[in-house]
């Protein structure tokens, strides 16, 4: 029989300054397994401190930071950014819990929430759609030395 292992309990809480090194380590692991993010892993802690940062949360599993999400203020909008979960704890609710924390933050401020995702990140798109986000258009993400990747904008329910 092919049973999925029981999900380990996930705690999502506001990110603390002392979480940054372990969140950076988790980010490097996600990059190695999934190629996400396409930029920023040379300075993972710096990447977790984006311009316009309004709030950030971590997912903690077995006492370790296993995921992260942030919300930034950009161009008058609230934008969900820096969402990742290490492969070993996926499908246990960490990604959903992180997204829901960001949604609550925006809702408590009477604001909408949006995000951008690269087309290669199909699992992330499935998560957003399962959580009721709607696709709001196509985009091109520019990074590195003139590199470009197709993506999509999503809007929170």
């Amino acid at each position: 029989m092919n049973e999925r292992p029981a999900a380990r309990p996930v705690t999502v809480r506001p990110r603390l300054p002392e979480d940054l090194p372990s969140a950076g380590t988790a980010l490097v692991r996600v990059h190695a397994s999934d190629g996400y993010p396409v930029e920023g892993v040379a300075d993972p802690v710096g990447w977790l401190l984006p311009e316009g940062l309004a709030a950030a949360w971590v997912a903690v599993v077995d006492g370790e930071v296993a995921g992260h999400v942030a919300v930034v203020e950009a161009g008058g909008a609230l934008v969900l950014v820096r969402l990742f979960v290490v492969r070993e704890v996926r499908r246990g609710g960490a990604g959903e819990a992180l997204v829901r924390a960001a949604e609550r933050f925006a809702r408590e401020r009477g604001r909408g929430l949006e995000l951008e995702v690269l087309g290669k990140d199909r699992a992330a798109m499935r998560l957003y759609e399962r959580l009721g986000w709607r696709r709001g258009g196509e985009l091109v993400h520019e990074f590195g030395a003139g590199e470009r990747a197709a993506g999509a904008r999503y809007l929170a329910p």
Side-chain angles (χ1 to χ4, degrees):
M1 189 155 41
N2 224 355
E3 292 184 29
R4 198 160 80 186
R8 300 183 317 221
V10 175
T11 301
V12 170
R13 61 168 173 74
R15 186 187 75 198
L16 304 172
E18 56 267 27
D19 293 323
L20 286 168
S22 54
T25 298
L27 173 68
V28 170
R29 288 173 52 203
V30 169
H31 177 75
S33 67
D34 302 318
Y36 175 85
V38 293
E39 59 195 340
V41 292
D43 178 14
V45 170
W47 191 80
L48 294 172
L49 297 167
E51 187 175 325
L53 181 65
W57 300 265
V58 291
V60 178
V61 177
D62 297 335
E64 299 291 325
V65 172
H68 179 277
V69 71
V71 172
V72 298
E73 179 85 36
L78 289 181
V79 183
L80 183 150
V81 298
R82 308 320 197 237
L83 173 65
F84 60 88
V85 175
V86 297
R87 184 174 292 273
E88 298 80 18
V89 301
R90 290 184 194 158
R91 303 185 72 124
E96 179 175 350
L98 287 163
V99 171
R100 295 299 191 208
E103 289 173 345
R104 271 190 306 280
F105 178 83
R107 193 171 41 254
E108 288 168 358
R109 283 148 187 78
R111 308 276 301 276
L113 187 63
E114 60 187 60
L115 63 82
E116 295 179 357
V117 61
L118 295 182
K120 72 174 190 61
D121 296 323
R122 297 281 184 221
M125 291 172 147
R126 285 191 300 273
L127 170 67
Y128 305 135
E129 290 169 5
R130 183 174 58 79
L131 298 180
W133 288 61
R134 68 185 192 286
R135 198 172 181 130
E138 307 303 310
L139 60 90
V140 175
H141 179 72
E142 296 182 12
F143 61 98
E147 297 178 71
R148 299 166 56 96
R153 178 170 285 107
Y154 278 81
L155 306 171

